[in-house]
Amino acid sequence: MLEAIRRAISFLRHKQILHKLGVAVSVTVIGIACYVLYHMLRGIDTDEVIEAIKGTEPRSIALAALFVAAGYFTLTFYDLFAVRAIGRADIPYRVNALAAFTSYSIGHNVGASVFTGGAVRYRIYSAWGLNAIDVAKICFLAGLTFWLGNAAVLGLGIAYHPEAAAAIDQLPPWLNRMVAFAIIVGLVAYVVWVWMQPRRVGRGPWTVVLPGGPLTLLQIAIGIVDLGFCALAMYVLVPDEPNLGFVVVAVIFVSATLLGFASHSPGGLGVFDAAMLVGLWQMDREDLLGGMLLFRVLYYLAPFVISVILLTFREVIVGARLKRLRQAASASDGIAKREAVYVRERGDSGG
């Protein structure tokens, strides 16, 4: 059965069907989001949105910023786990943290995070001797952690409160609950599958050994904690009334995040916002928009600016270090040449 699936995927890739399907899904999601936003934002009073932002308590903003920082801190373990999984335990955590933070924050804002984040990771990890294939494996394992965490949060959240997802997908709650149970069963089946024996995906140098059962549980835990912190940040910024509860906001937030990710638009712009407005329709639109704008500043804009500054400083430091090495090498070559001339002259003079 697995071989049949591999052949089918290989055929789809050869015919570029997967690429065309991905583009079609992205365009469809963005188109629907634009339509929804157009109807949801008609009649919005921008002055009320600004007042809602100004009226947000500084304590709530500080708490949301703390949760965002905790979420990005958890993201660093995505790379730490992936780098250890490919057998490079010699790379220190500070490098993993820099690669994870900058790649995700830049990828979130620029869009097409698989490519933009991969490029940032390669720039950092190549200094430690990792090639493009190694970086591709790291991206794959980090992405696997992300998706396992999403599957766990969505499965458990929708199973507990299927009405939350129904607000976005417009499906009956009983059907959403069945889908949630299917996700949980699939997740458990995957854990059992990798627990039984070592599993590999890919071919030749692209082969990746999947983490075993215990490490997969660790991946799921990392993903859950990451999404939990991000959902908490959004929860403290949305209006207090009506109080829908953390689980409802978390399920809608994760669903909106995945839709934004599927659209490949920078920061899920438009798609994420439309899904949040539809899912949290009970809340005042101006107040909700104010909270969402604050979340974008804290989760997208601020980390992006910090990442650009960090990468700029890194390039300056690396450039200065290389310049010193070249100067030292040039000076060493000059000394060696002068010594060679001196020895030759002594030889010519018979000295």
Side-chain angles (χ1 to χ4, degrees):
M1 180 178 177
L2 291 175
E3 186 60 31
I5 294 175
R6 291 193 188 99
R7 286 198 298 267
I9 293 176
S10 177
F11 173 79
L12 293 174
R13 284 177 178 169
H14 179 70
K15 298 295 184 180
Q16 294 188 336
I17 295 177
L18 288 178
H19 173 71
K20 295 175 182 176
L21 182 62
V23 173
V25 170
S26 298
V27 172
T28 301
V29 171
I30 293 173
I32 294 174
C34 291
Y35 175 81
V36 171
L37 277 178
Y38 173 75
H39 287 277
M40 293 289 293
L41 297 182
R42 284 191 304 177
I44 286 289
D45 191 333
T46 54
D47 293 333
E48 289 189 18
V49 175
I50 295 173
E51 286 300 320
I53 295 174
K54 292 180 178 179
T56 305
E57 295 183 3
R59 176 181 171 276
S60 298
I61 298 176
L63 190 59
L66 181 63
F67 286 138
V68 168
Y72 272 101
F73 172 70
T74 308
L75 274 178
T76 64
F77 292 98
Y78 283 33
D79 272 52
L80 178 66
F81 180 91
V83 171
R84 298 298 185 273
I86 67 170
R88 289 300 304 270
D90 59 303
I91 298 179
Y93 167 74
R94 58 182 173 81
V95 177
N96 303 142
L98 177 64
F101 175 72
T102 54
S103 64
Y104 278 111
S105 57
I106 290 177
H108 285 161
N109 284 274
V110 177
S113 57
V114 174
F115 302 103
T116 54
V120 173
R121 278 192 174 102
Y122 179 76
R123 181 62 182 167
I124 294 173
Y125 285 128
S126 59
W128 288 83
L130 271 65
N131 56 32
I133 296 177
D134 295 326
V135 174
K137 292 179 180 179
I138 292 172
C139 293
F140 171 78
L141 290 169
L144 182 62
T145 303
F146 171 80
W147 285 108
L148 288 174
N150 274 278
V153 171
L154 276 180
L156 296 173
I158 295 176
Y160 176 76
H161 205 305
E163 293 81 5
I168 294 180
D169 59 28
Q170 302 300 309
L171 296 176
W174 64 268
L175 184 56
N176 277 324
R177 180 163 279 161
M178 288 185 63
V179 172
F181 285 142
I183 293 173
I184 295 172
V185 170
L187 196 60
V188 172
Y190 174 80
V191 173
V192 173
W193 181 63
V194 296
W195 205 309
M196 293 174 61
Q197 66 182 53
R199 304 291 182 176
R200 292 176 172 81
V201 295
R203 293 181 180 179
W206 296 92
T207 301
V208 178
V209 179
L210 295 175
L215 291 180
T216 299
L217 293 179
L218 177 61
Q219 279 184 290
I220 295 173
I222 293 173
I224 290 175
V225 173
D226 168 38
L227 291 169
F229 279 128
C230 295
L232 280 169
M234 177 59 76
Y235 180 67
V236 299
L237 292 175
V238 298
D240 296 330
E241 297 295 336
N243 188 358
L244 302 178
F246 172 69
V247 174
V248 174
V249 175
V251 170
I252 293 173
F253 171 79
V254 174
S255 301
T257 300
L258 290 180
L259 285 172
F261 184 82
S263 71
H264 295 290
S265 63
L269 191 62
V271 179
F272 172 84
D273 310 277
M276 290 292 294
L277 287 169
V278 171
L280 300 175
W281 58 271
Q282 306 95 326
M283 297 181 176
D284 181 81
R285 288 183 299 172
E286 284 80 5
D287 290 343
L288 179 57
L289 276 174
M292 289 164 55
L293 288 173
L294 286 173
F295 179 81
R296 282 199 171 275
V297 171
L298 294 174
Y299 189 79
Y300 290 99
L301 184 59
F304 178 74
V305 172
I306 294 172
S307 293
V308 171
I309 293 173
L310 287 175
L311 288 176
T312 301
F313 276 131
R314 179 187 179 276
E315 292 301 317
V316 170
I317 293 172
V318 170
R321 189 177 300 166
L322 289 174
K323 184 178 180 180
R324 287 197 301 269
L325 289 174
R326 291 192 189 100
Q327 289 175 345
S330 177
S332 178
D333 289 342
I335 293 172
K337 289 178 180 178
R338 287 196 296 271
E339 288 180 348
V341 171
Y342 174 74
V343 171
R344 186 168 63 251
E345 289 177 346
R346 284 176 58 89
D348 293 340
S349 64

